[in-house]
């Protein structure tokens, strides 16, 4: 499975990356599927799509994003999972596809879809569904997914599954999800006389805390924001959600941010930057910049998903103990997303069944595959982050308990975030194009003390309306 950093790449529009695992420009990990749309390779599969895969079925499936050799522990676990899967399905060959570093970058993903060269089981972000369907790339797996083929199906958050549906048809199965919260530097909170176990819960409290942190001096900023590489628009959207606003209306055809809530968000950021001086002088930041600042004790807080912490520890040399999280300030809604696997359109029914069986085992079973926290601890991989966590009911209780039991980090640092869940809200249509426009709002606010906020929002509204009109 790809690192948490890469799950954010396409949703944040960062084509030129500060990668969570490498700092190189990398190729796509998927190659073309060997399947021609025909039947199985000599098995005895059932013709009923709702029936589980027959263990006697002989079939080969190609799968995206097998961990590269550079990620030795993750690759070891992948191989262990394949061996365990083959104990039940000895005739299914898992042909994993991998390249070092990033699995798929946006232009390559688009080119792959257009060429119909994706593997049988290919990795996507939740926001990729429209593009995949526009290119007729994914199989409708509704008939193949039920409580016999995916035993934990009833315990998967329906809001997460809903992001993989179109017109009530299911096109993918989740591997991970995230919601954004307020990531804090506990050391700076304590130095500024703030309680790191109680991060700010409103934007007024954020502003007050940011000023206290920036008053520590030594180039420390209290609060940080993005304003380049589509990440500024991404975070403007998150802030709009947090106060109950939106960036696109319910029809999906008109901008919705040029209102009192949009002005409130913009004016608050402008005041923090120019009146309080609590956001630092260096701006036009994109993904990776704020992480470096907070990891080196130069930033007090910013909006993030919990998996940013793993990147900062593994790649920047930070300590888990130095970070904490609270819910997104305002807490009306929070931006939510995630990643999934989809199954290539027109491959054989037996291959679809094999793919569903593999995904159910490796990604959707508490205590197995990616949720085998005991093994992850043994392999010195991070355990204890509050996400991915799309479980409900008994599955959630079991998984939460295992995370705590085998934690490799102080899980109590995330208690405020965990105890105060905020409703997740999906990214807008044409997300990356909308974010690109909204970057201009964020950069205007944060680089120009005399910025005309009304004009910035008016111009952005016109441009987003044009973007949405091309759907």
């Amino acid at each position: 499975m790809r690192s948490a950093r890469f799950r954010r790449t396409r949703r944040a529009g960062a084509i030129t990356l500060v990668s969570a695992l490498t700092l190189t420009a990398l190729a796509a990990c998927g190659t073309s599927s060997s399947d021609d749309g025909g039947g199985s390779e000599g098995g005895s599969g059932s013709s009923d799509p709702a029936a589980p895969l027959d263990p006697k079925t002989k079939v080969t499936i190609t799968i995206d994003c097998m961990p590269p050799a550079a990620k030795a522990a993750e690759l070891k676990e992948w191989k262990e999972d394949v061996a365990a899967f083959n104990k039940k399905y000895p005739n299914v060959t898992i042909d994993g596809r991998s390249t070092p570093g990033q699995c798929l970058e946006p232009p390559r993903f688009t080119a792959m879809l257009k060429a119909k060269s994706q593997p049988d089981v290919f990795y996507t972000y939740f926001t990729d569904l429209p593009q995949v369907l526009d290119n007729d790339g994914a199989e409708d797996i509704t008939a193949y997914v039920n409580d016999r083929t995916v035993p934990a199906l009833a315990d998967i958050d329906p809001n997460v599954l809903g992001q993989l549906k179109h017109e009530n048809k299911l096109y993918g199965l989740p591997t991970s999800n995230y919601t954004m919260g307020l990531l804090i530097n506990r050391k700076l909170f304590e130095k500024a006389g703030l309680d790191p176990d109680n991060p700010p819960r409103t934007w007024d409290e954020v502003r007050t805390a940011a000023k206290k942190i920036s008053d520590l001096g030594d180039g420390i900023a209290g609060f940080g924001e993005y304003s380049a590489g589509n990440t500024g628009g991404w975070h403007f959207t998150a802030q709009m959600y947090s106060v109950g606003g939106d960036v696109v209306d319910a029809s999906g055809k008109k901008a919705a941010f040029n209102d009192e809530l949009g002005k409130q968000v913009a004016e608050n950021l402008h005041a923090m930057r120019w009146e309080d001086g609590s956001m630092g002088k260096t701006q036009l930041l994109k993904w990776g910049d704020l992480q470096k600042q907070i990891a080196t004790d130069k930033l007090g807080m910013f909006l993030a998903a919990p998996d940013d912490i793993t990147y900062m520890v593994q790649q920047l040399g930070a300590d888990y103990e130095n970070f904490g999280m609270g819910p997104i300030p305002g807490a009306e809604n929070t931006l939510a997303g995630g990643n999934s696997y989809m199954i290539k359109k027109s491959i054989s029914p037996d291959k679809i069944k094999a793919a569903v069986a593999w995904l159910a085992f490796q990604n959707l079973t508490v205590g197995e595959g990616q949720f085998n926290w005991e093994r992850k601890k043994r392999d010195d991989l991070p355990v204890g982050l509050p996400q991915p966590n799309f479980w409900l009911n008994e599955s959630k209780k079991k998984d939460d308990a295992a995370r705590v039991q085998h934690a490799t980090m102080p899980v109590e640092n995330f208690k405020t975030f965990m105890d105060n869940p905020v409703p997740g809200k999906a990214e807008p249509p044409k997300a990356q194009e909308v974010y690109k426009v909204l970057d201009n709002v964020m950069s205007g606010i944060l680089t120009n003390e005399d910025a005309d906020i009304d004009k910035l929002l008016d111009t952005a509204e016109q441009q987003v309306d044009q973007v949405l009109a091309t759907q």
Side-chain angles (χ1 to χ4, degrees):
M1 189 180 74
R2 267 187 297 176
S3 83
R5 164 66 184 101
F6 298 143
R7 291 201 302 274
R8 193 167 297 104
T9 301
R10 211 154 49 241
R11 76 182 185 232
I15 295 174
T16 302
L17 302 172
V18 180
S19 166
L21 295 178
T22 70
L23 296 177
T24 58
L26 298 157
C29 73
T31 59
S32 63
S33 167
S34 60
D35 187 78
D36 61 1
S40 66
E41 302 168 10
S44 55
S46 167
S47 60
D48 179 8
L53 178 67
D54 187 330
K56 296 179 181 179
T57 300
K58 184 178 181 180
V59 70
T60 297
I61 52 174
T62 54
I63 299 181
D64 234 352
C65 301
M66 180 179 73
K71 299 179 69 176
E74 290 91 337
L75 181 58
K76 178 187 80 72
E77 293 188 356
W78 169 283
K79 291 178 178 179
E80 290 172 352
D81 289 341
V82 171
F85 180 76
N86 283 151
K87 288 182 179 179
K88 183 173 182 180
Y89 301 106
N91 296 316
V92 175
T93 298
I94 302 294
D95 180 7
R97 304 295 176 85
S98 174
T99 59
Q102 186 190 358
C103 182
L104 289 177
E105 57 187 0
R108 293 182 182 274
F109 182 79
T110 299
M112 180 185 72
L113 288 176
K114 292 185 179 300
K116 309 295 183 187
S117 62
Q118 67 267 40
D120 300 325
V121 188
F122 63 102
Y123 191 97
T124 72
Y125 303 102
F126 290 172
T127 50
D128 288 328
L129 181 57
Q131 183 183 189
V132 172
L133 295 181
D134 285 346
N135 287 277
D136 201 25
E139 189 71 40
D140 170 10
I141 58 173
T142 311
Y144 293 87
V145 175
N146 55 66
D147 58 8
R148 290 187 295 162
T149 60
V150 183
L153 184 63
D155 284 354
I156 299 173
D157 186 342
N159 292 318
V160 173
L161 285 174
Q163 296 197 57
L164 298 169
K165 292 182 177 180
H166 177 68
E167 296 180 347
N168 210 34
K169 296 177 181 179
L170 182 66
Y171 289 94
L173 289 171
T175 68
S176 184
N177 67 315
Y178 78 92
T179 56
M180 293 180 71
L182 185 68
L183 177 61
I184 70 163
N185 181 303
R186 293 177 62 88
K187 185 188 300 182
L188 293 180
F189 261 62
E190 290 174 352
K191 284 185 176 181
L194 300 165
D195 183 358
D197 293 323
N198 290 288
R201 301 288 292 275
T202 69
W203 285 106
D204 285 342
E205 291 176 359
V206 168
R207 184 176 177 182
T208 299
K211 185 66 169 63
K212 289 183 178 180
I213 294 169
S214 65
D215 284 346
L216 294 172
D218 196 27
I220 294 170
F223 181 74
E225 262 302 359
Y226 302 128
S227 53
N230 293 21
T231 55
W234 174 42
H235 270 214
F236 185 87
T237 299
Q239 290 211 30
M240 284 295 294
Y241 286 2
S242 76
V243 294
D246 213 331
V247 295
V248 174
D249 71 8
S251 74
K253 298 179 180 179
K254 297 286 290 182
F257 53 80
N258 192 7
D259 59 8
E260 288 306 311
L261 290 177
K263 292 177 184 178
Q264 174 185 317
V265 167
E267 288 171 354
N268 185 61
L269 286 169
H270 188 269
M272 291 175 68
R273 169 71 175 96
W274 298 105
E275 295 176 25
D276 302 344
S278 62
M279 293 187 68
K281 295 180 179 179
T282 302
Q283 295 300 325
L284 298 179
L285 305 174
K286 57 185 182 299
W287 204 98
D289 296 328
L290 297 179
Q291 288 78 0
K292 290 177 182 177
Q293 289 180 7
I294 201 168
T296 54
D297 301 327
K298 293 297 184 181
L299 176 64
M301 52 189 161
F302 73 103
L303 297 182
D307 53 29
D308 277 22
I309 299 171
T310 298
Y311 166 67
M312 293 186 292
V313 171
Q314 293 183 337
Q315 302 302 312
L316 303 179
D319 296 321
Y320 285 115
E321 291 76 9
N322 197 30
F323 304 108
M325 283 201 75
I328 194 168
E332 291 293 331
N333 289 288
T334 185
L335 193 148
N339 59 316
S340 66
Y341 275 98
M342 296 182 185
I343 298 172
K344 187 178 182 181
K345 183 71 175 287
S346 299
I347 66 172
S348 72
D350 280 346
K351 286 194 172 192
I352 297 172
K353 288 187 177 186
V356 170
W358 165 254
L359 295 175
F361 168 75
Q362 204 214 18
N363 295 320
L364 301 172
T365 302
V366 172
E368 301 288 352
Q370 70 162 334
F371 291 109
N372 187 337
W373 301 116
E374 180 179 9
R375 179 179 64 176
K376 285 186 180 295
K377 181 178 183 179
R378 189 167 60 245
D379 291 337
D380 199 28
L381 293 172
V383 180
L385 291 174
Q387 294 169 351
N389 198 338
F390 42 69
W391 296 118
L392 303 174
N393 309 320
E394 287 302 312
S395 291
K396 179 173 177 56
K397 293 179 182 178
K398 292 178 181 178
D399 187 63
D400 286 350
R403 288 175 196 248
V404 172
Q405 180 183 356
H406 303 293
T408 60
M409 62 190 73
V411 295
E412 62 272 14
N413 288 6
F414 314 120
K415 181 175 173 56
T416 306
F417 179 81
M418 292 294 291
D419 289 351
N420 299 277
V422 177
K425 190 170 183 177
E427 293 178 272
K430 296 274 188 175
Q432 298 308 322
E433 294 171 72
V434 170
Y435 296 162
K436 184 176 181 179
V437 171
L438 291 174
D439 265 4
N440 297 325
V441 176
M442 292 291 271
S443 62
I445 292 166
L446 299 178
T447 64
N448 181 7
E449 185 173 4
D450 298 321
D452 185 335
I453 289 175
D454 287 339
K455 184 175 181 180
L456 286 170
L457 292 173
D458 286 346
T459 301
E461 179 183 28
Q462 295 171 21
Q463 292 173 343
V464 168
D465 283 347
Q466 292 173 356
V467 166
L468 298 173
T470 64
Q471 295 187 82

